[in-house]
Amino acid sequence: MIGITGVATSGKDTLYSLLSIFLEKKNLKCKRYALADLLKKDLEIFVKEKFNINLNSISAAEKELIRPILVAYGKVKRNQTNGRHWIESINKIIDQENETSDILIVTDIRYDEFEKDEFFWLKKEKNGFLVHISRIFNGKIIGPANEEEHRNNTSLSKKADYHMIWCSENYKEILYNQYEKNLEEIYESYRRHRFNK
């Protein structure tokens, strides 16, 4: 399993899409999972009814508008379970799907607060590999959205197996060409980590 971490809008899902292209060229299948997808599913009807926002096709502006509600709900569920609610939920989905992909990629490892939090789950329970990404926009690295994200991002960045900084780019093909070397490094580092090769 590969986990991707970084602040909001750093490009975690974009990195997944580039990795999927890279791995496909190596005849490897990958599958995307995200802890936040489960949170959005829980709140989908409420957010649509109360704010007329569709969480399945949300704009960047709408996401910023609704982010405090998503964060607050996620935090309550985490606090009730010492950080395990979303982990246990995604474990059930992975088990039910009996996934046969070569590599599972979780695009939102965000927390390292509780003893057995998302970082612990990825590294200790799944023998996973953590990639930390940062994105440069208008000449500056995008910062955390709030204090909680700052605290966790600092911790996860220190513990990540691989670090990547990239620049904003609208075209996936250009991004792929610019960062193909990084994709190769991520894959090779993951392979050595996973299979001790």
Side-chain angles (χ1 to χ4, degrees), residues 25-67:
K25 291 181 179 183
K26 292 192 169 290
N27 294 316
L28 295 169
K29 289 191 316 179
C30 66
K31 173 84 183 265
R32 176 195 174 276
Y33 287 94
L35 298 154
D37 287 353
L38 307 172
L39 185 153
K40 289 174 189 171
K41 188 175 180 184
D42 276 6
L43 292 180
E44 182 180 4
I45 294 170
F46 171 79
V47 169
K48 181 67 177 166
E49 284 180 358
K50 301 298 183 186
F51 307 106
N52 197 29
I53 293 175
N54 183 345
L55 288 176
N56 295 313
S57 59
I58 191 169
S59 70
E62 288 173 329
K63 193 169 188 182
E64 284 309 307
L65 204 61
I66 211 75
R67 186 185 305 278

Side-chain angles (χ1 to χ4, degrees), residues 73-85 114:
Y73 176 71
K75 186 174 183 174
V76 169
K77 288 293 195 181
R78 285 175 41 72
N79 287 343
Q80 287 177 324
T81 60
N82 292 321
R84 296 297 294 188
H85 176 79
F114 292 101

Side-chain angles (χ1 to χ4, degrees), residues 115-127:
E115 181 185 355
K116 295 186 177 179
D117 216 327
E118 294 171 11
F119 176 78
F120 179 92
W121 171 71
L122 176 76
K123 297 294 292 179
K124 304 298 183 188
E125 295 178 28
K126 298 296 184 183
N127 189 26

Side-chain angles (χ1 to χ4, degrees), residues 89-131:
S89 298
I90 208 165
N91 273 339
K92 285 178 189 169
I93 291 171
I94 292 170
D95 290 345
Q96 287 169 356
E97 291 181 353
N98 195 20
E99 188 51 56
T100 58
S101 293
D102 299 297
I103 301 175
L104 305 183
I105 301 178
V106 180
T107 60
D108 60 348
I109 301 296
R110 289 192 176 102
Y111 289 97
D112 185 31
E113 293 179 323
F114 292 101
E115 181 185 355
K116 295 186 177 179
D117 216 327
E118 294 171 11
F119 176 78
F120 179 92
W121 171 71
L122 176 76
K123 297 294 292 179
K124 304 298 183 188
E125 295 178 28
K126 298 296 184 183
N127 189 26
F129 182 85
L130 185 63
V131 177

